[in-house]
Amino acid sequence: MNEFKHAKELYDNTTIPPQLSDRVLTGIRNGKAQYQSRRNRRIRRWTAIAACFCVMLAGLNLSPVLAKAAANVPVLGGLFRVLTFANYDKTEDSIDYSISVPEVEAESMLAEKVNTAIQEKVDRHLAKAQRDWDEYREAFFATGGTEDEWGSREMDVIIHYEIMSQTEERVSFIMYFAEGWVTSQEERYYYNLDFARNRELVLGDFLGEDWVSVCNASIQRQIDESKSTDGSTLFFAPDEGGFTTVDESTDFYVREDGKVVVCFPKYSIAAGAAGNVEFVIETLED
């Protein structure tokens, strides 16, 4: 008991440094500021998406189901998560919307950068789709189309994503943006993210310093093997705009087995019948 009393007296008589209060208050303020910053970024993102739906779709009541649901690929580590930020299907004004937008959740500037880029692409795609539809409708009636004929017209607006591979430290996924009406249009964007090193991955990370030669040799071999017995092929000749070489802007994704797949848009190096062209890159070790 005497020891307890003595300890209490020491505690009561201990002088509190005058700067301690300021340090505590500063720490509290900094903590609140960091929390508010993260919260504001999330609110701004939700607000921007909601505003885009309202403005770009001319006030239509889409009533989308916006919910964060775990992606179809399990979360394997604590560095990041890929969640479904917006997910809904809706038909308005003869436009069928099928929307699934991802969000990368991680304590890093890389995640914020990627989420901002995705949001900008979603905004731009929705705006373009509405503009294309309005211009098509105006031209349709200007050239003698009737209301009955217009009633059979429809348009698909598609935004989706697919996770190609995921480990504890990195993820590879593709964003698809498509319009389907009189003609079909599609854009693809490829994301290969390393959250251990907080940066976007490049082909050299997987194929080494000689990645250009490795890719070119593998791609050319597959193009040559695609030729029929009479020498015909869907691929353009190099002097006709066909494949010549990969570079830093060449798209790719990583499969679950670690294989790198190099991708080229439709019509870029081959006839339209070939679609979006993909090459699994084989190395000398394979």
Side-chain angles (χ1 to χ4, degrees), residues 73-116:
V73 176
V75 177
L76 301 179
L79 291 180
F80 70 96
R81 294 190 300 169
V82 179
L83 306 174
T84 300
F85 177 74
N87 186 33
Y88 70 92
D89 293 278
K90 185 72 175 180
T91 300
E92 290 288 352
D93 190 27
S94 299
I95 304 178
D96 295 328
Y97 297 93
S98 179
I99 310 295
S100 182
V101 181
E103 179 184 63
V104 181
E105 189 173 86
E107 291 296 327
S108 73
M109 292 299 293
L110 177 60
E112 185 173 346
K113 174 185 175 182
V114 170
N115 291 336
T116 299

Side-chain angles (χ1 to χ4, degrees), residues 76-210:
L76 301 179
L79 291 180
F80 70 96
R81 294 190 300 169
V82 179
L83 306 174
T84 300
F85 177 74
N87 186 33
Y88 70 92
D89 293 278
K90 185 72 175 180
T91 300
E92 290 288 352
D93 190 27
S94 299
I95 304 178
D96 295 328
Y97 297 93
S98 179
I99 310 295
S100 182
V101 181
E103 179 184 63
V104 181
E105 189 173 86
E107 291 296 327
S108 73
M109 292 299 293
L110 177 60
E112 185 173 346
K113 174 185 175 182
V114 170
N115 291 336
T116 299
I118 289 175
Q119 179 180 315
E120 290 173 351
K121 290 181 176 65
V122 170
D123 293 348
R124 186 168 62 248
H125 182 67
L126 289 175
K128 180 181 182 300
Q130 186 66 57
R131 186 169 58 251
D132 288 345
W133 190 239
D134 291 342
E135 290 176 355
Y136 173 56
R137 175 164 45 197
E138 181 179 349
F140 178 83
F141 288 117
T143 54
T146 67
E147 288 288 350
D148 288 341
E149 292 171 331
W150 177 256
S152 63
R153 301 296 196 275
E154 60 182 23
M155 176 185 188
D156 294 319
V157 175
I158 301 167
I159 302 175
H160 279 274
Y161 73 98
E162 182 180 4
I163 296 180
M164 310 309 290
S165 66
Q166 181 174 347
T167 70
E168 293 184 355
E169 298 180 345
R170 64 171 173 80
V171 64
S172 182
F173 67 92
I174 306 174
M175 285 285 299
Y176 303 92
F177 297 82
E179 288 181 24
W181 44 305
V182 177
T183 60
S184 180
Q185 306 173 26
E186 183 189 66
E187 296 179 7
R188 297 184 179 186
Y189 296 90
Y190 299 80
Y191 296 90
N192 302 285
L193 311 176
D194 183 343
F195 288 95
R197 290 179 285 181
N198 197 36
R199 67 180 182 85
E200 297 183 50
L201 292 161
V202 297
L203 284 167
D205 292 322
F206 300 94
L207 303 174
E209 294 183 1
D210 200 26

